[in-house]
Amino acid sequence: QVQLVESGGGSVQAGGSLRLSCAVSGDRYSTYCMGWFRQDAGKEREGVAAIGRDGYTSYTDFVRGRFTISFDNAENTLYLQMNTLKPEDSATYYCAADSLCPYYSMLDVRRYDYWGQGTQVSVSS
């Protein structure tokens, strides 16, 4: 049974930083690929960043250079360090996991079987 529990969301001003955490439980096979996704009201959920247990990472263009995804094996926790936040980064952020991690589709929402409940991020201008 895979469980994903996000934390770390909040409200910040533009230019600020937040670090999201996702506590991952479940077997390593089912959580080989992990990612962060976000969804704003009235919009589709979109991929932000993803990482495989082999360390390979993928970022969407609008966060590359500002966000960093990482996974702590000892703590079994997925992180998303978000710097230089912009108002358009405001959304509910979800972590997700799946057993497969094809590099060409790591940010595809449809690929992931397991999802957390989400954590809200609000960036004011």
Side-chain angles (χ1 to χ4, degrees):
Q1 183 76 9
V2 174
Q3 285 191 319
L4 306 171
V5 181
E6 302 99 332
S7 61
S11 298
V12 296
Q13 290 189 326
S17 298
L18 280 175
R19 188 176 78 158
L20 305 183
S21 301
C22 176
V24 179
S25 61
D27 63 276
R28 289 175 57 89
Y29 172 78
S30 296
T31 58
Y32 184 81
C33 197
M34 293 163 284
W36 288 99
F37 298 80
R38 69 188 187 188
Q39 186 169 20
D40 200 5
K43 298 183 180 179
E44 292 188 353
R45 191 169 299 187
E46 60 185 3
V48 175
I51 187 169
R53 286 187 182 259
D54 61 356
Y56 187 87
T57 58
S58 181
Y59 294 91
T60 192
D61 287 344
F62 49 78
V63 305
R64 189 174 291 114
R66 299 189 297 124
F67 292 9
T68 302
I69 190 171
S70 61
F71 182 72
D72 187 318
N73 280 290
E75 297 184 356
N76 235 23
T77 301
L78 180 71
Y79 295 102
L80 185 68
Q81 177 66 44
M82 305 187 294
N83 298 327
T84 320
L85 282 161
K86 305 175 181 181
E88 51 264 43
D89 293 319
S90 298
T92 300
Y93 283 70
Y94 300 88
C95 69
D98 195 73
S99 58
L100 300 176
C101 215
Y103 293 163
Y104 56 86
S105 64
M106 290 174 75
L107 296 178
D108 188 341
V109 172
R110 299 167 295 179
R111 288 199 51 258
Y112 288 79
D113 285 339
Y114 304 102
W115 293 87
Q117 82 288 350
T119 186
Q120 183 69 38
V121 171
S122 179
V123 184
S124 59
S125 57

